[in-house]
């Protein structure tokens, strides 16, 4: 079982599950907990090999489906039938995989710093990373990627938050997670067509230059997708602009809850 924490306010309150990005942990949601726990049951999860969750879970051929199933196992343990899922960065892929394979368990998706396609620059970076991952210290690679994705001075807090959490990982765990990116583009393309029945809000920092263009394209193709750019923010918008991120997320959850409460 993955390590997790909960904050419960009552049986009638909606559940919100937070899924962090690669190299992070549930602690990267520290600016969300206070607001969300007022009116929501909150579930914070450490993905395998991150935070306080054990590493060494990997078996040959493991995919994002296996990782998402571990999150579902936690929901089963807690007897949570349905939840809103908030993901950040690579955690958005886990969240979308949950929605694709367990649609009856997911009320809505809120995807911050969402990754739905890699452009040529990102694919080149990942190729370099995969080619050197076994002999270059993983923290060197991680810091390089962090600076490329979050290059500006105002991104420093979120960059350091993830780098400091990543230091707790082992090289083998980093390699396993990195290996998941090899066949990710065709997989993500399929996800965009198979999860359109799940209400989805994309929250992107306006300075998230690597990942915004694919989001804009996806939103134009589906009425189920909503997209908001957050000013003065980069990739990790929940840390850089927490008040705006929290308000937009809570308002969206409230809207979905009200829609589901209306008889069809």
């Amino acid at each position: 079982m993955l390590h997790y924490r909960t904050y419960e306010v009552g049986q009638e309150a909606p559940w919100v599950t937070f899924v962090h990005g690669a190299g992070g942990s549930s602690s990267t949601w520290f600016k969300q907990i206070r607001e969300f726990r007022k009116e929501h049951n909150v579930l914070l999860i450490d993905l395998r090999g991150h935070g306080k969750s054990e590493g060494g879970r990997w078996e040959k051929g493991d995919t994002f489906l296996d990782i998402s199933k571990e999150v579902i196992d936690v929901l089963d343990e807690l007897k949570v039938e349905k939840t809103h899922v908030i993901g950040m960065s690579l955690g958005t892929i886990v969240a979308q995989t949950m929605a694709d394979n367990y649609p009856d368990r997911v009320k809505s998706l809120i995807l911050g710093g969402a990754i739905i396609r890699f452009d040529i620059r990102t694919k080149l970076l990942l190729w370099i990373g995969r080619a050197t991952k076994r002999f270059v210290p993983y923290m060197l690679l991680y810091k390089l990627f962090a600076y490329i994705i979050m290059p500006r001075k105002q991104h420093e807090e979120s960059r350091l938050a993830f780098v400091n959490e990543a230091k707790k990982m082992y090289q083998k765990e980093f390699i396993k997670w990195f290996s998941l990116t090899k066949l990710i583009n065709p997989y993500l393309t399929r996800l965009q067509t198979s999860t359109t029945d799940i209400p989805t809000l994309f929250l992107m920092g306006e300075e998230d230059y690597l990942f915004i263009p694919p989001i804009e394209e996806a939103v134009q193709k589906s009425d189920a997708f909503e997209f908001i750019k957050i000013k003065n923010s980069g990739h990790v918008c929940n840390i850089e602009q927490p008040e705006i991120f929290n308000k937009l997320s809570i308002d969206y959850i409230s809207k979905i809850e009200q829609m589901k409460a209306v008889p069809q």
Side-chain angles (χ1 to χ4, degrees):
M1 185 69 63
L2 299 177
H3 178 268
Y4 64 88
R5 288 180 293 154
T6 61
Y7 300 90
E8 299 183 43
V9 295
Q11 292 184 348
E12 300 303 315
W15 278 91
V16 181
T17 301
F18 290 85
V19 184
H20 61 79
S25 75
S26 57
S27 67
T28 57
W29 299 107
F30 68 100
K31 293 189 177 183
Q32 278 63 62
I33 297 172
R34 178 179 296 178
E35 284 303 311
F36 275 87
R37 66 185 292 188
K38 290 178 180 178
E39 298 181 2
H40 308 83
N41 295 322
V42 172
L43 170 58
L44 301 160
I45 288 177
D46 288 337
L47 297 175
R48 62 165 70 173
H50 293 74
K52 295 182 180 180
S53 286
E54 290 182 3
R57 294 169 171 265
W58 299 90
E59 295 183 9
K60 187 176 182 179
D62 274 1
T63 66
F64 278 103
L65 177 57
D66 300 286
I67 293 167
S68 69
K69 176 61 168 61
E70 293 174 350
V71 179
I72 295 295
D73 288 344
V74 175
L75 295 178
D76 290 343
E77 172 79 9
L78 295 171
K79 296 180 172 56
V80 175
E81 294 184 4
K82 302 194 75 168
T83 180
H84 300 274
V85 183
I86 301 181
M88 177 56 59
S89 192
L90 207 68
T92 64
I93 303 176
V94 179
Q96 291 174 87
T97 303
M98 290 173 60
D100 182 30
N101 292 277
Y102 307 94
D104 57 323
R105 309 297 296 274
V106 178
K107 288 185 176 181
S108 75
L109 294 172
I110 298 174
L111 307 177
I115 300 174
I116 67 169
R117 192 175 73 229
F118 292 141
D119 66 8
I120 188 65
R121 294 170 297 182
T122 316
K123 285 190 281 188
L124 177 60
L125 288 171
L126 291 174
W127 181 86
I128 294 171
R130 286 194 294 269
T132 60
K133 65 187 179 185
R134 295 193 181 277
F135 55 86
V136 173
Y138 82 92
M139 279 309 302
L140 185 61
L141 281 175
Y142 192 89
K143 288 178 180 179
L144 173 62
F145 276 89
Y147 271 102
I148 291 171
I149 295 172
M150 299 172 273
R152 301 190 180 186
K153 176 66 176 177
Q154 59 264 36
H155 306 162
E156 184 175 16
E157 181 183 3
S158 53
R159 188 169 62 237
L160 288 176
F162 272 81
V163 167
N164 288 334
E165 286 300 312
K167 290 177 181 177
K168 301 173 185 177
M169 295 182 72
Y170 293 102
Q171 179 94 0
K172 288 184 178 180
E173 287 294 321
F174 177 83
I175 289 172
K176 292 290 187 181
W177 275 92
F178 210 92
S179 297
L180 288 178
T181 64
K182 189 173 184 180
L183 299 175
I184 211 169
N185 249 21
Y187 176 66
L188 288 174
T189 300
R190 187 186 66 76
L191 277 184
Q192 299 317 302
T193 60
S194 62
T195 59
T196 52
D197 290 337
I198 306 292
T200 301
L201 171 63
F202 292 99
L203 292 179
M204 307 291 289
E206 64 177 0
E207 298 159 4
D208 196 358
Y209 68 101
L210 282 177
F211 302 114
I212 282 180
I215 303 295
E216 293 175 327
E217 292 178 22
V219 170
Q220 291 176 358
K221 297 176 182 178
S222 175
D223 293 335
F225 297 160
E226 297 185 30
F227 173 38
I228 300 176
K229 287 183 186 179
I230 298 178
K231 293 183 177 180
N232 301 316
S233 178
H235 185 60
V236 189
C237 48
N238 70 302
I239 291 179
E240 293 172 18
Q241 293 293 341
E243 292 183 5
I244 297 173
F245 182 92
N246 294 347
K247 184 179 188 310
L248 291 172
S249 300
I250 290 171
D251 287 350
Y252 187 74
I253 290 171
S254 177
K255 181 178 76 171
I256 299 303
E257 287 291 318
Q258 290 173 15
M259 289 172 57
K260 292 183 181 297
V262 176
Q264 300 298 315

